[in-house]
Amino acid sequence: MSQPPAGDPGQFSPDYLAPPQPRRGFFTQAAAVVVGAVAGLVPLAVGLATFINPLRRSVRSKQRPSGSDAQGFYKVTTLDALSAIPQAFKIIADRKDAWNTFPKDAIGTVYLSRLENGDVLAFNVTCPHAGCAVDWRAAKNAYHCPCHNSAFAPDGVRDPKSPSARDLDSLEVKFENGAVLVKYQDFKSGEKGKHPT
Ligand code: FES
């Protein structure tokens, strides 16, 4: 049996007085590592899912914009409010990005005018040349783009001298109980063809 060394008993911790420590076996330690790893990964996975989910939601929300009906028509104004002189109207909808919602925000602008036969013309204000906004110039009875001087007749047909390769982008219109609804869409600029973005 070992004996304590001589000297100050308060200056050392004799090993023989410590309780015997059980030795962990290899499998016990391995299991502890696995359990620890899983416990750490679960919150990480939950956090990642929470981060990604708004992105998935925003992709879904683009399929059917808030504020429009199932076909993508937005209520813009009433038929009575329209005349032969084109007027600009904002398209109001709840806009969303990946993480934020912007309620009742302007997502675009259209020009509306009423023909003698009761039909309504609707144009996206975005110039098909390079994306500036066109103005209605009553003095010239034409739409005009201030960026590179494209001009368009009241029916949207381009002036042949315009740099724009196509007419103004017309939009579908329908009526419900005196209200005018427009299927708002944006189209790629700089192309001869009219292709939705
Ligand atoms: S953007 Fe309109 S003419 Fe160029």
Side-chain angles (χ1 to χ4, degrees), residues 123-147:
F123 298 109
N124 192 318
V125 299
T126 305
C127 178
H129 178 231
C132 295
V134 300
D135 302 320
W136 169 251
R137 299 223 171 147
K140 296 198 170 185
N141 195 40
Y143 294 98
H144 175 259
C145 179
C147 291

Side-chain angles (χ1 to χ4, degrees), residues 141-197:
N141 195 40
Y143 294 98
H144 175 259
C145 179
C147 291
H148 313 100
N149 292 319
S150 282
F152 307 87
D155 60 0
V157 174
R158 64 182 278 280
D159 183 312
K161 297 190 286 292
S162 298
S164 175
R166 66 175 190 262
D167 299 341
L168 278 182
D169 294 321
S170 59
L171 300 167
E172 286 181 55
V173 176
K174 70 178 183 180
F175 310 101
E176 279 180 7
N177 303 321
V180 179
L181 290 83
V182 175
K183 185 172 185 176
Y184 182 75
Q185 287 180 287
D186 287 315
F187 300 89
K188 290 180 186 166
S189 58
E191 298 181 0
K192 194 169 175 56
K194 185 178 165 190
H195 302 117
T197 56

